[in-house]
């Protein structure tokens, strides 16, 4: 067991094991779920209806005493492990000192400390500044505000299969209709979509640079580069299916935005903070964005998000133009400082690479024996498998869902994603003990067999 996993497990005494004592969900979870249905709006979905009562390291313990292996991390959030002691201790200490002042009313150190860390850790060596917010969607909204203020332009470019959030502007920026947008329009204007590099679904092989030129052509012809305030792009698509663009795609887009005075915004909300085996996914190809949006992994489960970028761009907004009541809440900032400390001390980027090797190895083996495996892809501990029909191409969301449901029934929490809903994605906490990850993938493999 690694130091990080040892700390996470030891601190909270939760055995790092899969343990089933009832069917999933068990009777207590089912009773609680009935109450949930009575009181919680139907529009709020549920992936797996077990009620969690404790979580630590790589496991979730439910109301019936089942211990599930966590391959979701609350959608790429608890990278440092659930209830990581370094996070919890700082949170408790901060909560005893004070819980809120509103940074715009009276400032405090934690907010500034997080901004200093963000300047140090995000790509690029220019002077950088940050603004702190509550959610990923809010960070994306603010990045667009800042880009518009800086450029004096209005248009926003995004790509096919993108996911940027559920607020009105970010719904417009998100590609997928169901469930994110259906019936919720009208959407914000001045958002334009360009083709993405999606190697597995290209009709014929196309390089990253060619795919970028295809996107640039659409934006040049349909919007005009000089009308664009920003290009907002996830360096690896998250909800859209863990799509890794072909090498050269992001660098070519970066070059084009630079030449045309367009602010390049990397949405690293899902990919950031060691998830992909680097601090940020942009690091892999040496791409330095103008602005980076972060959230999720930043604070070990507390609601915190940020826009970080070149000081001259960040400072182009008038005083009072950015903010919000809770943005950079002191307790969330304390959590972030604890989470970042764990990532640095325990080299969680290295841990992500090792976990990624285990997962990729297991999925490659499945691909040799199961024709439904269309594509195995991802980077670091952000890995996915795209499930297809016998033609090797047609998306099979039902099969992906069945495999996921099998995993759930056996005590392994998996997620699906993708425009076609046919992608199984794996996001273990980066402190996951390797034997536990291997056990989880024994279950995943059995799920492929059981649904064949
Ligand atoms: N940008 C790249 O991944 C959030 C969404 C889950 P919020 N992804 C999980 C769901 O169904 O709502 C996300 C993301 C990227 C932005 C966001 C939005 O972040 O914190 O959920 O607002």
């Amino acid at each position: 067991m690694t130091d990080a996993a040892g700390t996470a497990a030891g601190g909270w005494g939760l055995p790092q094991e899969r343990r089933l004592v009832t069917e999933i969900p068990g009777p207590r979870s089912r009773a609680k779920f009935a109450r949930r249905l009575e009181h919680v709006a139907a529009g709020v979905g549920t992936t797996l209806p077990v009620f969690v009562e404790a979580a630590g390291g790589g496991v979730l313990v439910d109301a019936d005493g089942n211990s599930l292996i966590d391959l979701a991390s609350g959608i790429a959030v608890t990278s440092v492990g659930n209830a990581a002691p370094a996070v919890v201790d700082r949170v408790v200490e901060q909560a005893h000192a004070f819980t809120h002042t509103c940074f715009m009313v009276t400032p405090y150190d934690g907010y500034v400390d997080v901004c200093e860390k963000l300047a140090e850790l995000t790509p690029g060596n220019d002077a950088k500044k940050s603004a702190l917010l509550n959610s990923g969607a809010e960070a994306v909204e603010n990045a667009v505000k800042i880009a518009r203020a800086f450029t004096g332009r209005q248009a926003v470019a995004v790509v096919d299969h993108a996911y940027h959030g559920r607020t009105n502007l970010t719904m417009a920026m998100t590609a997928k209709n169901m469930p994110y947008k259906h019936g919720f329009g009208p959407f914000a204007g001045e958002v334009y979509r360009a083709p993405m590099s999606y190697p597995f679904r290209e009709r014929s092989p196309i390089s990253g640079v060619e795919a970028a030129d295809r996107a640039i052509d659409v934006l040049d012809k349909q919007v005009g580069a000089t009308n664009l305030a920003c290009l907002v792009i996830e360096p690896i698509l998250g909800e859209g299916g863990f799509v890794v663009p072909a090498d050269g795609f992001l660098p070519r887009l970066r070059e084009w935005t630079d030449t045309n005075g367009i602010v390049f915004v990397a949405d690293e909300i899902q990919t950031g903070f060691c998830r992909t085996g680097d601090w940020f996914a942009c690091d892999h190809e040496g791409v330095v964005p103008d602005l980076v949006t972060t959230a999720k992994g930043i604070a070990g489960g507390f609601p915190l998000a940020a826009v970080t970028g070149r000081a001259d761009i960040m400072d182009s907004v008038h005083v009072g133009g950015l903010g919000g009541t809770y943005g950079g809440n002191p307790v969330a900032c304390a959590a972030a400082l604890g989470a970042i400390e764990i990532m640095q001390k325990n080299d969680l980027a290295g841990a992500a690479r090792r976990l990624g090797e285990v997962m990729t190895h297991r999925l490659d083996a499945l691909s040799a024996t199961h024709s439904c495996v269309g594509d195995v892809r991802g980077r670091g501990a952000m890995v996915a498998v795209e499930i297809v029909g016998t033609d090797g191409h047609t998306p099979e969301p039902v099969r992906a869902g069945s495999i996921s449901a099998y995993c759930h029934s056996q005590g392994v929490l998996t997620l699906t994603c993708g425009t076609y809903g046919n992608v199984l994605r794996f996001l273990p906490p980066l402190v996951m003990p390797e034997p536990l990850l291997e056990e989880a993938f024994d279950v995943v493999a059995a799920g492929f067999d059981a649904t064949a």
Side-chain angles (χ1 to χ4, degrees):
M1 200 182 268
T2 64
D3 275 344
T7 312
W12 302 98
L14 280 188
Q16 296 296 293
E17 65 180 13
R18 182 169 65 108
R19 184 183 67 240
L20 295 186
V21 296
T22 68
E23 73 275 24
I24 304 288
R28 292 175 65 102
S29 278
R30 287 203 301 272
K32 287 171 185 287
F33 199 76
R35 200 170 142 252
R36 179 233 195 265
L37 288 176
E38 193 184 335
H39 297 290
V40 180
V44 182
T46 305
T47 301
L48 174 58
V50 301
F51 274 68
V52 172
E53 293 199 336
V59 299
L60 303 161
V61 178
D62 74 12
D64 293 282
N66 300 296
S67 174
L68 289 81
I69 304 178
D70 182 9
L71 297 186
S73 299
I75 323 191
V77 171
T78 51
S79 299
V80 297
N82 222 310
V87 171
V88 176
D89 291 347
R90 283 182 185 251
V91 162
V92 169
E93 196 185 336
Q94 177 60 48
H96 277 297
F98 62 96
T99 50
H100 176 78
T101 65
C102 184
F103 189 77
M104 302 184 305
V105 177
T106 49
Y108 41 85
D109 280 335
Y111 190 117
V112 184
D113 292 341
V114 170
C115 294
E116 189 178 30
K117 277 286 175 197
L118 283 164
E120 172 195 327
L121 297 170
T122 51
N125 300 319
D126 288 332
K128 282 175 266 172
K129 291 191 177 183
S130 294
L132 302 185
L133 306 141
N134 303 299
S135 69
E138 208 190 341
V140 173
E141 292 250 359
N142 276 274
V144 172
K145 281 165 65 174
I146 294 163
R148 284 175 170 161
F150 178 70
T151 58
R153 306 171 181 176
Q154 295 184 350
V156 174
V158 292
V159 297
D160 281 335
H161 311 286
Y163 183 90
H164 297 294
R166 293 176 182 266
T167 57
N168 188 262
L169 173 59
T170 59
M171 272 194 293
M173 296 168 68
T174 290
K176 192 173 175 176
N177 176 50
M178 202 56 147
Y180 306 122
K181 305 166 74 164
H182 189 74
F184 298 147
F187 304 110
E190 289 303 311
V191 175
Y192 300 92
R193 198 169 303 282
M196 175 62 180
S197 163
Y198 190 159
F200 177 65
R201 296 211 164 268
E202 299 289 356
R203 284 173 197 280
S204 51
I206 164 171
S207 73
V209 172
E210 287 165 338
D213 285 336
R214 177 178 64 187
I216 289 166
D217 189 56
V218 168
L219 295 172
D220 261 334
K221 298 295 177 300
Q222 298 182 16
V223 194
T226 55
N227 293 317
L228 278 166
C230 55
L231 166 69
V232 183
I233 186 164
E234 300 155 86
I236 297 176
L237 299 184
E239 304 305 306
F242 283 23
V243 176
V244 185
D247 281 350
F249 179 73
L250 293 172
R252 171 75 184 111
L253 288 176
R254 169 68 279 201
E255 180 188 288
W256 174 75
T257 52
D258 222 3
T259 312
N260 290 283
I262 301 163
V263 176
F264 185 106
V265 183
D267 181 346
E268 294 251 16
I269 286 162
Q270 191 150 166
T271 50
F273 287 101
C274 300
R275 175 53 56 187
T276 65
D278 288 296
W279 274 95
F280 293 92
C282 280
D283 292 332
H284 183 73
E285 284 189 277
V287 168
V288 179
D290 297 313
L291 301 178
V292 184
T293 55
T294 54
K296 290 190 183 282
I298 190 175
F302 283 78
L304 186 71
V307 184
T308 302
R310 257 173 47 201
D312 59 321
I313 301 177
M314 293 297 294
D315 283 345
S316 63
V317 177
H318 53 276
V319 173
L322 303 176
T325 305
Y326 296 114
N329 167 272
V331 181
C333 287
L337 295 169
I340 292 168
E341 179 186 279
I342 299 173
M343 292 181 208
Q344 288 187 310
K345 273 198 183 151
N346 297 299
D347 182 25
L348 290 196
R353 291 194 293 274
R354 283 189 297 282
L355 296 178
E357 275 165 31
V358 170
M359 294 191 283
T360 308
H361 180 75
R362 296 298 299 265
L363 293 173
D364 283 343
L366 280 172
S367 128
T369 49
H370 292 79
S371 60
C372 68
V373 174
D375 194 24
V376 175
R377 59 178 179 246
R379 194 184 300 146
M382 182 171 181
V383 171
V385 53
E386 181 156 353
I387 307 297
V388 295
T390 45
D391 61 0
H393 186 78
T394 304
E396 284 286 352
V398 173
R399 177 83 187 272
S402 309
I403 297 170
S404 202
Y406 177 89
C407 293
H408 296 172
S409 74
Q410 301 302 309
V412 175
L413 178 56
T414 48
L415 299 174
T416 57
C417 66
T419 294
Y420 314 102
N422 66 325
V423 178
L424 282 164
R425 60 169 153 172
F426 305 104
L427 291 163
L430 304 180
V431 297
M432 173 75 72
E434 275 186 34
L436 201 60
L437 187 63
E438 293 279 9
E439 184 178 340
F441 273 78
D442 291 343
V443 172
V444 172
F448 274 76
D449 293 334
T451 57

